[in-house]
Each structure stands twice: as C-alpha cells, then as structure tokens.
Amino acid sequence: MGNEHISKRFDAELEGLRSRVLQMGGLVEQQIMRAMEVLAYGDIALADQVIADDHRVNAMEVGIDDDCTHIIARRQPTASDLRMVMAVVKTITDLERIGDEAQKIARMAKQLHQSGARFNHQLADIRYACNITLDMIKTSLDAFARLDVSGAAKVVQQDAEVDARFRAILRQLMTFMMEDPRTISASIDILFIAKAIERIGDHAKNMSEYVVYLVKGKDVRHITAEELVKVATSAD
C-alpha cells in the first residue's frame, strides 16, 4: 500500500507539471496575440503591458524548472517518467524564449507606430505567418497534453511554410529599401518582427520534437522532416 500511495503521489506531481506547462503555453499565446494587436492598431499601452508581463513567463519557467529538479532528486524517475520530466524542462525553455520574441514584437511595433511609419502592405503577410506559428504552438501543446506524435509531426511540416514566408517578406523588404532609402529604418523594424515570428516557429517545432522523444524515446532534433514523420508514424 505504501508503494502504491507513493506512485499515486508521483503521478499527481507529473500531471501537475503537465498542467502548468499548458498554463504557461496559454500565457505565451496571449502575449503573441497582444503583440500582434499592437502592430495592427498601435495600442501603446498594450505594448507596454506585453513588455511588462514578460516577467510572468520568466517566473513560470523558473518555478516549473525548480519543481522538476526536486522531482528528479526525490523520485529518481526512470524510463518514460524521466522522459516526461526532461520534456517539461526543454518545453518551458522554448516557451520562455517564445515569450521573449513576443516582447520583441511588441517593442518593435510600438517603435513603428511612434515613428509614424507606413507599413500596411507588409502587415497581411506578417499576420499570416504569425497565425501559422500560433497554430504550431497550440498543436504542439495539444500534442504534449495528449501524447500525440501525429500532431507533433504536423508542426514540423508547418515550420517549412513559416521559413518560406519569412524569406518572401525579407525579399520584399530588401526591394523597398533599395527603391526608397527612406524606408530603411521602418523596414529594419519590420524585419525584426518577421524574424521574431520565424524564431517562434522554430521554438514550436522544438516543442513538437520533444513530444516525439517523450512518446517514442528517440531524439529527433537533427533529422529531416520526412525522417521525423517516419519515426512518428512507425510502430513501437
């Protein structure tokens, strides 16, 4: 009975970790959406709120990471339980970095609006790329919650689309800067925003790869998307 009680408590601790990761992910998603709202409408107060709220994301990372350290020390998990703890540690690191990118978008958006720059022609492409990355984050978190490797594989494939969209925005901005040097300052700010979105996609992709590691026990960080899909769909 003693061992069964300990096992149940350990399961509850792991479930608590998973819930807090999802909560942190929800906060990060909110930060991105608010940052994009700043870009679209120029709400300076909202930009300042996104920037100030970054400490909440940081605090959640520190708290969850500390609990993971204590669980490893107390429980000495093995096999799938150890992979769960390690996946949590890696996932919250990427979520914290996504929060940093959301803060960067808010800062650049605030700067653009305060400068009075016109950038409406790039806004649709940037919003489209951001919507893809938001879907990647949601799918990665859902895959983590459900231990769904097929969802994780979808995210890896989506990342290629975000990269292609970033390259298209970059080419467009380079054309604007060459044709009219007066657009250089604003174009650089927009480029930073586009790069931040591309980096968010990279972090979401990382998170999906941790799900494959958690479920399959295989490190898939440095293989092609096609190889990852094979690993995700293969029988155990």
Side-chain angles (χ1 to χ4, degrees):
M1 290 297 293
N3 288 338
E4 182 180 351
H5 179 67
I6 292 172
S7 177
K8 287 182 178 179
R9 286 186 58 187
F10 183 31
D11 288 343
E13 288 174 358
L14 292 178
E15 187 57 37
L17 283 179
R18 283 168 37 131
S19 296
R20 290 168 65 195
V21 169
L22 298 177
Q23 182 184 4
M24 184 178 177
L27 176 57
V28 165
E29 288 180 53
Q30 183 184 67
Q31 288 285 85
I32 297 170
M33 289 186 287
R34 286 179 172 176
M36 290 302 297
E37 190 173 336
V38 175
L39 181 62
Y41 304 111
D43 189 334
I44 304 304
L46 184 60
D48 291 336
Q49 182 180 340
V50 172
I51 295 167
D53 281 351
D54 187 55
H55 77 278
R56 294 172 58 199
V57 178
N58 296 341
M60 291 187 78
E61 183 203 15
V62 171
I64 297 171
D65 187 69
D66 188 56
D67 285 348
C68 286
T69 300
H70 283 91
I71 284 176
I72 291 173
R74 290 197 319 269
R75 304 297 190 188
Q76 298 181 356
T78 59
S80 61
D81 290 336
L82 178 59
R83 294 202 303 273
M84 169 61 76
V85 176
M86 296 306 298
V88 166
V89 171
K90 291 174 180 291
T91 298
I92 61 173
T93 298
D94 278 287
L95 284 173
E96 188 275 332
R97 290 175 181 169
I98 291 174
D100 289 343
E101 299 298 339
Q103 181 194 58
K104 186 184 299 179
I105 293 170
R107 283 193 288 106
M108 293 296 102
K110 176 181 177 181
Q111 188 168 300
L112 277 167
H113 282 282
Q114 288 179 329
S115 71
R118 295 184 178 182
F119 55 92
N120 289 339
H121 42 292
Q122 288 101 7
L123 189 57
D125 285 337
I126 289 174
R127 185 184 290 117
Y128 182 82
C130 189
N131 286 340
I132 297 173
T133 59
L134 279 169
D135 185 63
M136 290 170 68
I137 294 170
K138 291 176 182 177
T139 304
S140 293
L141 291 170
D142 187 62
F144 173 75
R146 299 171 180 271
L147 302 180
D148 176 19
V149 291
S150 62
K154 173 191 171 186
V155 173
V156 173
Q157 294 170 316
Q158 284 179 297
D159 187 54
E161 184 177 0
V162 175
D163 291 345
R165 186 66 55 166
F166 170 73
R167 290 191 295 269
I169 293 171
L170 176 59
R171 288 192 297 269
Q172 187 182 53
L173 290 172
M174 289 178 66
T175 300
F176 288 143
M177 288 186 284
M178 286 188 292
E179 291 179 349
D180 186 355
R182 293 173 298 179
T183 66
I184 289 176
S185 179
S187 293
I188 291 173
D189 287 341
I190 295 166
L191 178 58
F192 276 124
I193 291 172
K195 184 61 179 177
I197 292 170
E198 189 266 341
R199 290 294 297 141
I200 289 171
D202 289 341
H203 290 303
K205 174 176 173 284
N206 291 344
M207 289 160 51
S208 70
E209 291 171 346
Y210 306 147
V211 175
V212 178
Y213 163 73
L214 172 58
V215 176
K216 296 289 188 175
K218 296 179 180 179
D219 189 338
V220 294
R221 288 177 294 177
H222 303 296
I223 64 176
T224 66
E226 292 77 12
E227 290 171 331
L228 186 143
V229 171
K230 288 180 181 178
V231 172
T233 57
S234 64
D236 293 330

